[in-house]
Amino acid sequence: MKKYGMVIDTKLCVGCGACVVACKTENDVPEGLHRDWIVEEVTGKFPNLHMEIRSERCNHCSDTPCVSSCPTGASHIKEGSNIVKVDPDKCTGCQACVVSCPYNARFVMPEGYVSKCTFCDHRVEKGESPACASVCPTHAIVFGDLNNPMSRVSRLLRARKFKTIIPEAGTEPNVYYLI
Amino acid sequence: MKEITITTNKISNMVNGHFHVWGWEVPLYLFLGGLTAGILIIASVMAFRKKKDSFALSSGKLSLWAPFILSLGMVSLFLDIKHKLFVWRFYTAFEITSPMSWGSWVLLMIYPLSFLLILATIRESYPGIFSFINKFLSFLKLDILFRKLTEFSEENYKIIAGITIPFAITLGIYTGILLSAFGSRPFWNSSMLGPLFLVSGLSSAVAMVILLSKEHKEKSLFTKVDIALLLTEGVFILLFLIGLATSSSQYKAALTLVTGGALTSSFWIFIVMFGLFIPALLEVLELKGRNINPKLAPVLVIAGGLFLRFIIVEAGQMNSWLPY
């Protein structure tokens, strides 16, 4: 089974937003809604400040509260992978998954069903990278199979220090940030 | 040590935006679901009482309210659902890990059980409605089936009540578990919400009996029951708050919402003071013979139950694991 993950280098990310625009274009995301977004975080005490820029999205967690809270099976894990998806034909728009996501990564489409990042699985099937990773001008976003020790994501995680966002929420996220 | 953290969100409003998914519909549904559970528990327990001559409301008339109140709750839930044409999808799957799925199926069981419970006492409680339904169904030649179903319910009154009790308790607990199952919202993530909402629903149903009953004996008995329920609810709220206070930092942060934060005054005034303490005090004074408007305490209890759901649903959405 493939375990897809994303490794995002916070030392390279400049917060240009190309990933957000690429995602919106590729997936036809309606105005005002986003499957990915940029967070800029400044920490410290002047003059010792530290800034981190992150491109964030659904973490395609290994422990998925969004899938387990869905009453209809609309929220599901794509067979043969860990990609978390929503089947619009099964979704009632009850928003249990929206509430259950600690990353606030889900939203309701104007039609009423819930939508989110799919790791561009339609591109992944063709052997391509997700739209956000493919357009990143600084190559900060790397996508690949975490189960393959020779993949670039696995090698980056072996070579560099990394973190995940709120791991204490217990969902075992699969989007890693190099720090 | 991080002295300061400033987080801005570029391009999207999805992170820093106010996280507000559920409006008035869900808390109203949770309240009406809890009230239905309470009504059915009372109506079922009364089937096992020894004296048959009194308590006309709680042992008979009351159960008729259950399907109507539940339906009102279902309408409220339906209004909240965003993909309305696909609502039937709740009944094409049973997801064992989803409290909402459990709830959907329990609701489906509650309807036939409450109808059988109504039929078990309809002849005595609502003779007018009974004869009207009979006449109406005779046009459709279904009156024999109706009479047979009524006779069946009357004969198996206690069995039906016995089956209804665990389903009604499940319904009452489910209204709390629905929220507490969300680990991502620390304020909700306490299993105390299950018993708390069950007791609150029961207390609201008891208040309804006090409000509508015309028998002094029945009012007096249910006032005593309500005092016990309000005390239990108070203890459960205290345990719920202790649970948050003694947990990790995210939960402590969630607690500050009602201990100095945005919802402090509404929580302590509308739930604890006017929803629990004052009605309990009024009921004690009433039992001691003080002349107090008998409608005041039950109305406060019902309003308190409604506020409990509204404030807890709101609080859960004002707090999350994300620090931004």
Short mmCIF file of all heavy atoms in Angstrom, two decimals, chain A residues 6 21 60 64 89 94 96 103 121:
data_model
loop_
_atom_site.label_atom_id
_atom_site.label_comp_id
_atom_site.label_asym_id
_atom_site.label_seq_id
_atom_site.Cartn_x
_atom_site.Cartn_y
_atom_site.Cartn_z
N MET A 6 3.60 14.50 2.28
CA MET A 6 4.18 15.71 1.71
C MET A 6 5.23 16.22 2.68
O MET A 6 5.03 16.18 3.90
CB MET A 6 3.08 16.75 1.54
CG MET A 6 3.19 17.55 0.27
SD MET A 6 1.73 18.52 0.00
CE MET A 6 1.25 17.95 -1.62
N VAL A 21 -2.96 29.14 -5.56
CA VAL A 21 -3.56 29.47 -6.86
C VAL A 21 -3.60 28.23 -7.76
O VAL A 21 -4.60 27.96 -8.42
CB VAL A 21 -2.76 30.62 -7.54
CG1 VAL A 21 -3.33 30.93 -8.92
CG2 VAL A 21 -2.78 31.87 -6.67
N HIS A 60 -3.95 14.38 5.51
CA HIS A 60 -4.17 12.97 5.11
C HIS A 60 -3.67 12.03 6.22
O HIS A 60 -2.84 11.16 5.99
CB HIS A 60 -3.52 12.69 3.75
CG HIS A 60 -4.18 13.49 2.66
ND1 HIS A 60 -5.28 13.04 1.98
CD2 HIS A 60 -3.93 14.73 2.18
CE1 HIS A 60 -5.67 13.96 1.11
NE2 HIS A 60 -4.86 15.00 1.22
N THR A 64 -7.85 8.95 11.19
CA THR A 64 -8.70 9.98 10.57
C THR A 64 -10.03 10.19 11.30
O THR A 64 -11.00 9.46 11.06
CB THR A 64 -9.04 9.56 9.12
OG1 THR A 64 -9.44 8.17 9.18
CG2 THR A 64 -7.86 9.70 8.21
N ASP A 89 -21.70 12.18 -3.61
CA ASP A 89 -23.00 11.50 -3.73
C ASP A 89 -23.45 10.83 -2.43
O ASP A 89 -24.59 10.40 -2.32
CB ASP A 89 -22.95 10.45 -4.85
CG ASP A 89 -22.86 11.11 -6.21
OD1 ASP A 89 -23.26 12.30 -6.30
OD2 ASP A 89 -22.39 10.48 -7.15
N CYS A 94 -23.67 17.18 6.67
CA CYS A 94 -23.93 17.32 8.12
C CYS A 94 -22.78 18.02 8.83
O CYS A 94 -22.94 18.51 9.93
CB CYS A 94 -24.18 15.96 8.76
SG CYS A 94 -22.71 14.92 8.91
N ALA A 96 -20.11 16.85 10.22
CA ALA A 96 -19.44 16.17 11.34
C ALA A 96 -17.94 16.11 11.08
O ALA A 96 -17.12 16.30 11.98
CB ALA A 96 -20.01 14.77 11.53
N TYR A 103 -7.47 20.44 11.99
CA TYR A 103 -6.74 21.37 11.12
C TYR A 103 -7.68 22.32 10.36
O TYR A 103 -7.21 23.12 9.57
CB TYR A 103 -5.88 20.57 10.12
CG TYR A 103 -4.89 19.67 10.84
CD1 TYR A 103 -5.16 18.32 11.03
CD2 TYR A 103 -3.73 20.20 11.36
CE1 TYR A 103 -4.28 17.50 11.71
CE2 TYR A 103 -2.84 19.39 12.05
CZ TYR A 103 -3.11 18.05 12.21
OH TYR A 103 -2.23 17.26 12.91
N ASP A 121 -5.23 13.45 -6.36
CA ASP A 121 -5.09 12.02 -6.67
C ASP A 121 -5.28 11.71 -8.15
O ASP A 121 -4.72 10.74 -8.66
CB ASP A 121 -6.02 11.17 -5.80
CG ASP A 121 -7.48 11.41 -6.10
OD1 ASP A 121 -7.84 12.57 -6.39
OD2 ASP A 121 -8.27 10.46 -6.02
#
